[in-house]
Amino acid sequence: MQKNNINNIYYLGPNGSNTYYAAIKFLERENLTSLNKLPQKSIKSAAENFENDINSLCILPIENSIEGIVRETLDNFLTLKDNSIQIQGEITIPINHMLLSNAKNKKDIKKIYSHPQALAQCGNYLYKNFPDAELKEVSSTGYAAQKVSTETDSAAIANITCSDIFNLNIVAENINDEKGNQTRFYILGRNSDNNLNMGKTALMLSTKNQHGALCSVLQIFAKYNINLSCIESRPSKKKLGEYVFFMELDGFKEETNIKKSLTEIKNNAEFVKILGSFKEYKCS
Amino acid sequence: MQKNNINNIYYLGPNGSNTYYAAIKFLERENLTSLNKLPQKSIKSAAENFENDINSLCILPIENSIEGIVRETLDNFLTLKDNSIQIQGEITIPINHMLLSNAKNKKDIKKIYSHPQALAQCGNYLYKNFPDAELKEVSSTGYAAQKVSTETDSAAIANITCSDIFNLNIVAENINDEKGNQTRFYILGRNSDNNLNMGKTALMLSTKNQHGALCSVLQIFAKYNINLSCIESRPSKKKLGEYVFFMELDGFKEETNIKKSLTEIKNNAEFVKILGSFKEYKCS
């Protein structure tokens, strides 16, 4: 992890969002809590401001265990022009939804605000405990908490950090219907981590538009005994049925087999962009 | 295409939605315009009501050239229990966004309603032509048109069918920034089309959770010279990093090579669900 000359970190805000929570956990782990925390309105503006600031890091959500790969993050990888940008690490956090309110008692809560995904993930809990409450969809869990901080008869579904930031009571903890909900984030910086001796490699590639092209690429990984831990297609946005593929491989990019496979694949693909090699890290 | 005893068709409404437009085009093509058209509030309720009504068809969006695969449709395939349900056809329509209003002149338009994706897809047009208008996000293009039909100073971005349904003026045509935007839909029915002599096959499968499992599956298709035209991963929703894969293959399921490959794959996969074989159909 590159730390010298790093002053700023960009992420999807507002403060209190799940990305903010992941950023806090990451900064604590890396002893980087003195960085300026710069929340952004969208994944796109986080990526753009990071690209224009060489003294910065960026943290972006890549995958949620229920919703899947975060497409907006993949699409932004394709538009980054600075080739020194690399994924330098990852962090996985549990998504524990809390019910936060100025009210202390459930009976005083008439409206519940949150992001549509969070409302859906707590659907059974809400149905049982708040059958008559009005459910209000807003653009983020952080915004929901901010909104209810000015009201007395409403609650927000948001993460634990919002309780401190907006001075709200925790009315109920871990109200997700399904336990085990997790989100994984990438940390972007400049240059590679040259001290890796194990890890994963992320890349994007587009195959030549011909019969069996994707299969040829996958056969090359198989030949070198490289396991594909993740694959996702994104539309080329030019023509229906033309794709760019995002993949994660077990192994780091300086390993002999990974290097050999990537050299061969470059001959078989329209383009290959190595996003970086990094270690897995799960946060309890 | 099975037509006997079919009385109803379910789709994502409201009338005026892009799925409604695709449904109209499909019914015209198949001489099925006498079916009862039953718009539904969500993809989920369209799939569920179709499953409970054996005298019906259902049309669901599967892929947009800009946004990619429609995840909600894939997730609903996994929860359908009636094994006689099969994809019986597909239809691809151009997405041409129109600006519709009770007002006749652009200068009278102060607010513009649409689905967030449609607003984004017309971003440059709106920036140039309506720099001061308030952009309002709503849940569908059809709802946007319904909303502006009761107002005099607003416009909706929606498809051409909304002009008739809500009696609105066409203020501007084809205002998408990128041309060539298309959406592809599946038509679901019961039983297979046994008259196919060419086409595509759609399926979902989950691999055993072991090193190189996806690659083994893809190698089987390669061995039988079967082209994979589409692959998408969805989370198993049980554990981060466990996936179910959606695939489309060139060829119909009664072809010898497809049959042989599927038999082999069933030995290598946790489960395989054949969604159906059907012909491509593009609508101008």
Side-chain angles (χ1 to χ4, degrees):
Chain A
M1 173 67 58
Q2 175 208 4
K3 295 184 185 178
N4 292 338
N5 303 317
I6 296 295
N7 305 321
N8 302 318
I9 184 164
Y10 296 92
Y11 53 93
L12 176 63
N15 286 349
S17 68
N18 285 319
T19 313
Y20 169 81
Y21 180 69
I24 296 293
K25 290 284 180 185
F26 163 75
L27 295 172
E28 285 171 0
R29 166 185 124 196
E30 298 288 340
N31 290 320
L32 286 170
T33 50
S34 62
L35 294 194
N36 299 311
K37 291 185 278 298
L38 301 169
Q40 304 294 309
K41 280 197 174 166
S42 64
I43 288 175
K44 191 179 177 65
S45 68
E48 283 177 354
N49 286 320
F50 157 71
E51 187 170 27
N52 293 327
D53 175 0
I54 61 163
N55 302 118
S56 73
L57 300 174
C58 181
I59 180 163
L60 297 178
I62 182 67
E63 183 177 17
N64 174 266
S65 54
I66 296 173
E67 306 299 331
I69 293 287
V70 181
R71 292 170 163 181
E72 198 183 345
T73 294
L74 293 190
D75 291 350
N76 274 291
F77 279 132
L78 290 175
T79 55
L80 291 173
K81 283 171 208 80
D82 178 349
N83 286 324
S84 69
I85 292 174
Q86 291 275 301
I87 302 166
Q88 300 207 322
E90 73 165 23
I91 186 166
T92 298
I93 60 164
I95 304 294
N96 289 325
H97 292 307
M98 307 284 173
L99 193 70
L100 307 175
S101 176
N102 278 322
K104 284 184 181 156
N105 293 316
K106 285 185 186 174
K107 67 173 175 40
D108 299 326
I109 295 169
K110 309 293 180 208
K111 291 179 288 187
I112 298 175
Y113 292 86
S114 200
H115 187 275
Q117 280 177 6
L119 289 168
Q121 288 167 9
C122 303
N124 291 342
Y125 171 86
L126 295 174
Y127 182 75
K128 260 193 213 163
N129 291 275
F130 296 94
D132 301 323
E134 190 183 350
L135 303 184
K136 289 185 162 276
E137 297 187 353
V138 292
S139 58
S140 75
T141 55
Y143 177 73
Q146 187 184 2
K147 177 94 183 156
V148 308
S149 67
T150 62
E151 300 183 355
T152 55
D153 62 345
S154 64
I157 298 173
N159 74 55
I160 188 80
T161 66
C162 290
S163 162
D164 283 343
I165 297 171
F166 300 107
N167 198 22
L168 292 166
N169 299 308
I170 300 172
V171 180
E173 290 184 51
N174 300 338
I175 62 171
N176 327 23
D177 297 332
E178 303 269 348
K179 306 305 171 196
N181 185 357
Q182 294 183 311
T183 300
R184 188 159 68 94
F185 296 83
Y186 280 159
I187 294 99
L188 304 187
R190 263 80 181 178
N191 304 316
S192 309
D193 187 341
N194 293 322
N195 299 318
L196 280 183
N197 50 17
M198 59 179 296
K200 291 199 286 191
T201 297
L203 57 92
M204 294 186 87
L205 61 82
S206 79
T207 56
K208 290 175 182 164
N209 193 9
Q210 61 192 41
H211 205 84
L214 174 64
C215 194
S216 323
V217 166
L218 297 176
Q219 278 177 322
I220 295 169
F221 289 130
K223 185 170 97 181
Y224 289 101
N225 204 23
I226 293 164
N227 191 45
L228 205 65
S229 50
C230 183
I231 182 170
E232 182 85 3
S233 56
R234 292 296 300 136
S236 69
K237 307 198 185 223
K238 287 172 197 150
K239 199 181 151 196
L240 197 70
E242 268 187 14
Y243 304 98
V244 176
F245 296 95
F246 164 75
M247 299 178 189
E248 283 184 354
L249 314 173
D250 290 347
F252 60 100
K253 65 188 171 147
E254 303 303 325
E255 262 178 58
T256 315
N257 275 0
I258 300 258
K259 270 179 132 164
K260 280 187 186 167
S261 68
L262 292 177
T263 306
E264 273 189 47
I265 280 165
K266 280 175 188 165
N267 296 328
N268 278 267
E270 283 284 320
F271 83 86
V272 179
K273 184 171 183 169
I274 312 294
L275 303 176
S277 286
F278 49 90
K279 281 187 203 169
E280 288 184 86
Y281 184 88
K282 280 187 207 292
C283 188
S284 58
Chain B
M1 173 67 57
Q2 175 207 6
K3 295 184 185 179
N4 292 340
N5 302 317
I6 296 295
N7 304 322
N8 302 319
I9 183 163
Y10 296 92
Y11 52 93
L12 176 63
N15 286 348
S17 68
N18 285 318
T19 313
Y20 169 80
Y21 181 68
I24 296 294
K25 289 286 180 183
F26 162 74
L27 296 172
E28 285 172 1
R29 167 184 121 197
E30 299 287 340
N31 291 321
L32 286 169
T33 51
S34 62
L35 294 194
N36 299 312
K37 291 184 277 298
L38 301 169
Q40 303 295 308
K41 281 199 174 164
S42 64
I43 288 175
K44 192 181 178 64
S45 68
E48 282 177 355
N49 286 321
F50 157 71
E51 187 170 26
N52 293 327
D53 175 359
I54 60 161
N55 301 119
S56 73
L57 300 174
C58 180
I59 178 162
L60 297 177
I62 182 67
E63 184 177 16
N64 174 266
S65 54
I66 296 174
E67 306 299 333
I69 293 287
V70 180
R71 291 169 163 182
E72 199 183 345
T73 294
L74 293 191
D75 291 352
N76 274 293
F77 278 132
L78 290 175
T79 55
L80 290 174
K81 284 172 206 76
D82 178 349
N83 287 324
S84 69
I85 291 174
Q86 291 275 301
I87 301 166
Q88 298 207 322
E90 72 166 23
I91 185 165
T92 299
I93 61 163
I95 304 293
N96 289 325
H97 293 307
M98 307 284 172
L99 193 70
L100 307 176
S101 177
N102 278 322
K104 283 185 181 154
N105 293 316
K106 286 184 184 175
K107 69 174 173 41
D108 299 325
I109 295 168
K110 310 292 180 209
K111 292 179 289 187
I112 297 173
Y113 292 87
S114 200
H115 188 274
Q117 281 177 5
L119 288 168
Q121 288 167 8
C122 304
N124 291 341
Y125 170 85
L126 295 174
Y127 182 75
K128 259 193 214 163
N129 292 275
F130 296 94
D132 301 321
E134 192 184 351
L135 303 184
K136 291 187 161 275
E137 297 187 355
V138 292
S139 58
S140 74
T141 54
Y143 177 72
Q146 186 183 1
K147 177 94 184 156
V148 309
S149 67
T150 63
E151 299 182 356
T152 55
D153 63 345
S154 64
I157 298 174
N159 75 54
I160 188 78
T161 65
C162 289
S163 161
D164 282 343
I165 296 172
F166 300 107
N167 197 21
L168 292 166
N169 300 309
I170 300 172
V171 180
E173 289 184 52
N174 300 339
I175 62 172
N176 330 19
D177 298 332
E178 303 269 347
K179 307 305 170 193
N181 186 358
Q182 293 184 312
T183 300
R184 189 159 67 94
F185 297 81
Y186 281 159
I187 294 99
L188 305 187
R190 262 80 181 178
N191 304 316
S192 309
D193 188 340
N194 293 322
N195 300 319
L196 278 183
N197 50 17
M198 58 178 297
K200 291 199 286 191
T201 298
L203 56 92
M204 293 186 88
L205 60 83
S206 79
T207 55
K208 290 176 182 164
N209 193 8
Q210 62 191 38
H211 205 85
L214 174 64
C215 194
S216 323
V217 166
L218 296 177
Q219 276 177 323
I220 294 168
F221 289 129
K223 185 170 98 182
Y224 289 101
N225 205 24
I226 293 164
N227 192 46
L228 204 65
S229 50
C230 183
I231 180 169
E232 182 86 3
S233 56
R234 292 296 300 139
S236 69
K237 306 195 188 231
K238 288 173 197 150
K239 198 180 151 197
L240 197 69
E242 269 187 15
Y243 304 98
V244 175
F245 296 94
F246 163 75
M247 299 177 190
E248 282 184 354
L249 314 172
D250 290 346
F252 59 102
K253 65 188 173 149
E254 303 303 326
E255 263 177 59
T256 315
N257 276 359
I258 300 257
K259 271 179 131 165
K260 281 186 184 167
S261 67
L262 292 176
T263 306
E264 275 189 46
I265 281 165
K266 280 175 187 165
N267 296 328
N268 277 268
E270 283 285 321
F271 83 88
V272 179
K273 183 171 183 169
I274 311 293
L275 303 176
S277 288
F278 49 90
K279 281 187 202 168
E280 288 184 86
Y281 184 87
K282 280 187 206 294
C283 188
S284 57

